[in-house]
Amino acid sequence: MKHNISKPLIGFFTASILMGCGATTLISTPVENIDSLPLKVSELTESEKKSWSHADLLTDTIPGMSVDKAYREIIGKKKGTKIIVAVLDSGMDLEHEDLDDVLWTNKKEKPGNNIDDDNNGFVDDIHGYNLLGESYDEQLEFARIVRLKIGDAELQAKAKAELDKKYPEALANKQQYEQIYQTVKGADTSVKEHLGKSEYTKKDLAAIETEDEAMQRNVAVLTQMLTYADTIPEILEQLEGGIKHFSDQLNYNLNAEFDGRKVVGDDPYDIMDTKYGNGNPQNRVEDESHGTHVAGIIAAERNNGIGANGVANNVEIMSIRAVPNGDEYDKDIALGIRYAVDNGAKIINCSFGKSYSPNAEWVYDAIKYAASKDVLIVHAAGNDGKDLDDPNNPNFPNDQINNGPEIADNVITVGALDPKYGSEMVASYSNYGKVNVDIFAPGTDIYSTIPHNEYEFMPGTSMASPAVAGVAALVWSQYPSLSASQIKKIILESGLSTETTVVLGGDSSKTNTMDKISKSGKMVNAYNALIMAQQIARGK
């Protein structure tokens, strides 16, 4: 599950510290090119930051999906047909104030009686299913390959080489974060003592006059840090998050001796061993917030006066807990897709990915099964800032093998956008690829739900994927006669196109146009998608 993108923080701090110390009739037509737009030069307001993904590029010059415009000018109060969207992810907070009224409920199942009332093979699956049992921390797949000697000698050697490379990198990063943290913490403590205050402002810091070289260094360090966040406590919190991230990598993800699956009790490499897990897809620990955040992007209750607004207004969220704090198992993903399909989901959001998939054929078969049942799958492109068309950068699951033809026409793979239209609008972390990425959508600093009735900004293609799943649900709800492949076609063809040259992977020397880094060359647009959906539904 490669959705954590905290690593770039190192670059922010290292040089400065370590080295320096509703209408009923549609008359509009889709807008196809927006290159004449003026760029938004001012910073986003707090309100815009929380809802930028719903903005309209034409009127706001923010590369959102025109969601608010779609509701205002097309949908109005029309509810449409209820669409079930499965969130195949980590556990989610089933009691969140902004999600509790949009949960899918299996009405054929009686809660808590430990009986499979509806005979679907899953006991007490009221709001979905949990394929991880009580497990949470996990290895990355290449560490499991090394531990269990999975595959042939070539695969094992490749996995061992990657583990031998990644482990010392994680160790060095953890030590670097710890060093930066101690430097900032020490400077913060010294300045508080110097000022005689428990809290201080940027103005207080700037007013310090001293001949003491140590204090001068402290002021310089903190001044530099305050260019990255508004307060030092925020900086320290980010650094603590980085330390935890790399500690988890060392203790679990990259630890070749760790066995996170033991508590589940199944054989994760036997697709026939299906009697495992339980009916409670609630998150197990507070840090397991990813699935809750994804669900909120799709369907947080709209206009209820609290939190965030989801994209879709008439959906039910089915929670399937299958993605641990580490790489997901192919078996869990394959069975999770099949569970979602068999229990009524029309859309499955998959905000996860990995570079090794020893049983990829199980997932391919599940994707084909979903296609045969007219179910759409939306998948995050991944956060490595790489070209997925390069064979050296595999990303699973996918819908083709070795850049060949698609195995099914029901998968949309989504890259991430930043909130500023222009050359840097493709997020520096976002993967891309003419063959492997279909379209781009807002992904950076998206405001959504997290456990315990709270909200947070998160970045990643993990956030871009549910944005598209929400648009798909919105369109399908209004035009339920369309097929999954038609919904995919509509989303790809109705997006906004641009000839702007964009920076890739955060490297200013590496640029290309959108049509060269994704299949559609476009950015998702809900307003245009609804217009095109009406045309196709009417047979035009």
Side-chain angles (χ1 to χ4, degrees):
M1 183 182 190
K2 298 186 290 184
H3 58 259
N4 192 309
I5 55 174
S6 63
K7 187 174 180 180
L9 285 171
I10 292 176
F12 289 161
F13 303 118
T14 302
S16 59
I17 296 179
L18 298 181
M19 297 178 70
C21 21
T24 56
T25 302
L26 302 178
I27 58 175
S28 301
T29 56
V31 177
E32 295 181 349
N33 199 293
I34 34 73
D35 292 303
S36 61
L37 286 177
L39 301 185
K40 184 178 179 67
V41 294
S42 59
E43 288 293 319
L44 299 188
T45 66
E46 285 305 309
S47 176
E48 287 173 335
K49 287 178 182 177
K50 290 182 177 179
S51 62
W52 78 266
S53 64
H54 292 198
D56 178 67
L57 183 56
L58 293 173
T59 57
D60 305 315
T61 65
I62 300 170
M65 302 183 296
S66 303
V67 173
D68 292 338
K69 180 180 180 180
Y71 278 101
R72 186 173 61 249
E73 299 186 15
I74 298 177
I75 296 174
K77 295 182 179 180
K78 293 185 295 183
K79 280 288 188 181
T81 300
K82 186 82 72 176
I83 298 292
I84 299 172
V85 182
V87 174
L88 187 59
D89 210 289
S90 64
M92 59 176 276
D93 185 354
L94 303 174
E95 299 177 352
H96 197 286
E97 62 183 3
D98 233 357
L99 295 171
D100 53 0
D101 287 342
V102 296
L103 294 179
W104 171 74
T105 299
N106 183 357
K107 296 180 175 62
K108 298 177 182 178
E109 195 79 3
K110 297 177 182 178
N113 66 356
N114 202 33
I115 297 173
D116 179 14
D117 300 289
D118 60 355
N119 296 312
N120 70 347
F122 300 89
V123 173
D124 290 342
D125 56 325
I126 305 302
H127 299 300
Y129 202 71
N130 168 26
L131 290 158
L132 299 179
E134 300 309 306
S135 69
Y136 172 61
D137 291 310
E138 255 300 346
Q139 291 176 308
L140 297 181
E141 191 70 67
F142 59 80
R144 293 198 288 255
I145 290 171
V146 172
R147 176 170 62 88
L148 299 172
K149 294 181 173 55
I150 296 169
D152 58 23
E154 182 181 358
L155 178 65
Q156 292 178 32
K158 183 180 178 183
K160 179 67 163 56
E162 184 147 10
L163 182 61
D164 289 345
K165 177 175 180 284
K166 293 291 178 63
Y167 189 92
E169 286 178 354
L171 180 60
N173 286 333
K174 174 176 176 287
Q175 292 170 341
Q176 203 166 39
Y177 262 77
E178 289 171 338
Q179 185 178 354
I180 296 167
Y181 179 86
Q182 291 303 324
T183 301
V184 176
K185 183 72 172 175
D188 182 53
T189 300
S190 295
V191 165
K192 286 177 179 176
E193 291 176 354
H194 179 83
L195 294 173
K197 294 181 176 182
S198 60
E199 296 180 359
Y200 57 88
T201 65
K202 292 181 182 179
K203 187 176 180 180
D204 293 331
L205 193 63
I208 294 177
E209 295 182 1
T210 179
E211 297 297 322
D212 183 272
E213 291 185 2
M215 184 54 63
Q216 290 174 350
R217 286 195 298 271
N218 291 333
V219 171
V221 164
L222 298 175
T223 301
Q224 180 69 23
M225 290 302 98
L226 290 172
T227 64
Y228 303 117
D230 292 332
T231 68
I232 295 303
E234 289 178 70
I235 292 290
L236 291 172
E237 183 179 357
Q238 290 182 37
L239 290 168
E240 287 170 349
I243 292 169
K244 183 183 186 304
H245 169 66
F246 291 112
S247 295
D248 282 353
Q249 283 198 339
L250 294 168
N251 293 332
Y252 311 115
N253 306 155
L254 300 172
N255 181 355
E257 304 304 319
F258 180 69
D259 181 3
R261 191 70 173 196
K262 186 175 181 181
V263 66
V264 180
D266 72 319
D267 178 355
Y269 294 96
D270 180 1
I271 192 65
M272 303 306 294
D273 182 4
T274 60
K275 301 299 181 181
Y276 68 102
N278 59 58
N280 181 16
Q282 176 81 24
N283 62 300
R284 291 309 194 261
V285 299
E286 189 169 340
D287 286 348
E288 196 175 14
S289 60
H290 192 266
T292 306
H293 198 271
V294 165
I297 293 170
I298 299 169
E301 298 163 33
R302 290 186 60 83
N303 304 320
N304 61 354
I306 58 174
N309 282 340
V311 174
N313 68 335
N314 195 19
V315 301
E316 293 181 346
I317 295 292
M318 176 190 293
S319 176
I320 304 175
R321 185 171 182 263
V323 183
N325 183 32
D327 275 347
E328 60 279 358
Y329 285 89
D330 295 325
K331 185 176 86 166
D332 293 343
I333 299 308
L335 295 181
I337 290 173
R338 289 176 179 274
Y339 175 89
V341 172
D342 291 341
N343 288 279
K346 291 299 292 179
I347 301 168
I348 305 172
N349 187 79
C350 300
S351 287
F352 51 80
K354 59 183 182 177
S355 54
Y356 291 80
S357 185
N359 298 112
E361 68 277 6
W362 297 345
V363 182
Y364 292 140
D365 287 345
I367 290 172
K368 293 174 186 175
Y369 178 68
S372 74
K373 299 296 184 178
D374 199 33
V375 174
L376 182 71
I377 295 173
V378 187
H379 179 238
N383 303 324
D384 303 301
K386 294 180 178 179
D387 181 359
L388 296 184
D389 294 351
D390 183 339
N392 295 311
N393 304 322
N395 184 56
F396 298 96
N398 52 28
D399 60 353
Q400 47 71 36
I401 301 171
N402 297 327
N403 294 337
E406 292 182 348
I407 62 170
D409 192 26
N410 68 323
V411 179
I412 303 175
T413 300
V414 188
L417 296 172
D418 279 350
K420 185 176 181 180
Y421 174 71
S423 63
E424 296 181 355
M425 64 185 172
V426 171
S428 61
Y429 54 79
S430 180
N431 289 338
Y432 52 93
K434 177 71 174 177
V435 174
N436 283 276
V437 176
D438 291 303
I439 200 162
F440 282 82
T444 296
D445 295 339
I446 305 299
Y447 189 70
S448 185
T449 47
I450 62 171
H452 307 302
N453 293 334
E454 295 183 7
Y455 303 84
E456 189 174 287
F457 293 94
M458 287 187 184
T461 58
S462 282
M463 284 63 250
S465 178
V468 176
V471 171
L474 188 64
V475 173
W476 221 343
S477 176
Q478 296 296 315
Y479 302 99
S481 65
L482 297 174
S483 67
S485 61
Q486 285 177 314
I487 294 291
K488 174 181 176 177
K489 178 182 179 181
I490 287 165
I491 288 175
L492 267 58
E493 294 189 2
S494 68
L496 294 182
S497 60
T498 171
E499 295 177 1
T500 299
T501 298
V502 293
V503 175
L504 303 175
D507 182 351
S508 59
S509 68
K510 189 185 299 181
T511 62
N512 217 325
T513 51
M514 295 288 283
D515 62 317
K516 299 296 193 299
I517 63 168
S518 67
K519 187 168 295 182
S520 70
K522 296 182 179 181
M523 301 175 284
V524 170
N525 190 272
Y527 181 83
N528 283 359
L530 285 162
I531 295 172
M532 185 174 286
Q534 186 197 57
Q535 295 170 346
I536 291 178
R538 290 178 174 178
K540 294 183 179 179

